[in-house]
Amino acid sequence: VFALLSMSEGLPNTLFEALILGTPVIATNVGGVADIVVPGENGWLTENNESSIEKMLKFIIENTEAVDQMKAKIQTYSYDNKAIIRTAQEVLFGE
């Protein structure tokens, strides 16, 4: 699992990169992260506070089956450059 636990983000490429490699992600729900991470589809979102992050990390550690299921779901993930550019424009410029 790739963890991006940030106070603020734009549209982080590291999440796309993790997904391209077939790695589920856990990320704080900041900036454009929710435009990339779809809970139950390619990873998990958590609120940006210590308690929520701790709870989510504990869930990941204790539920390896859930991680394996998520890995299986993202095996067909594809990086659609045009769709990502559109998403970035929406997040950054409100288009």
Side-chain angles (χ1 to χ4, degrees):
V1 174
F2 175 76
L4 181 70
L5 307 173
S6 300
M7 298 291 287
S8 66
E9 285 290 340
L11 195 67
N13 283 324
T14 54
L15 294 178
F16 293 119
E17 292 163 352
L19 294 171
I20 289 168
L21 294 173
T23 304
V25 299
I26 173 177
T28 46
N29 192 5
V30 296
V33 170
D35 293 309
I36 302 170
V37 180
V38 180
E41 294 297 318
N42 60 10
W44 300 271
L45 288 176
T46 186
E47 293 306 311
N48 193 15
N49 61 64
E50 192 173 314
S51 173
S52 295
I53 292 169
E54 181 181 357
K55 187 185 295 183
M56 183 58 71
L57 291 173
K58 185 176 180 180
F59 169 82
I60 300 269
I61 291 167
E62 294 176 349
N63 293 280
T64 56
E65 299 91 20
V67 174
D68 290 340
Q69 290 172 357
M70 192 67 69
K71 283 181 184 178
K73 285 183 181 183
I74 62 173
Q75 290 307 305
T76 58
Y77 178 83
S78 65
Y79 184 89
D80 181 347
N81 200 40
K82 290 181 182 182
I84 291 166
I85 289 170
R86 283 192 303 273
T87 300
Q89 289 173 332
E90 290 171 7
V91 169
L92 299 172
F93 306 114
E95 296 179 6

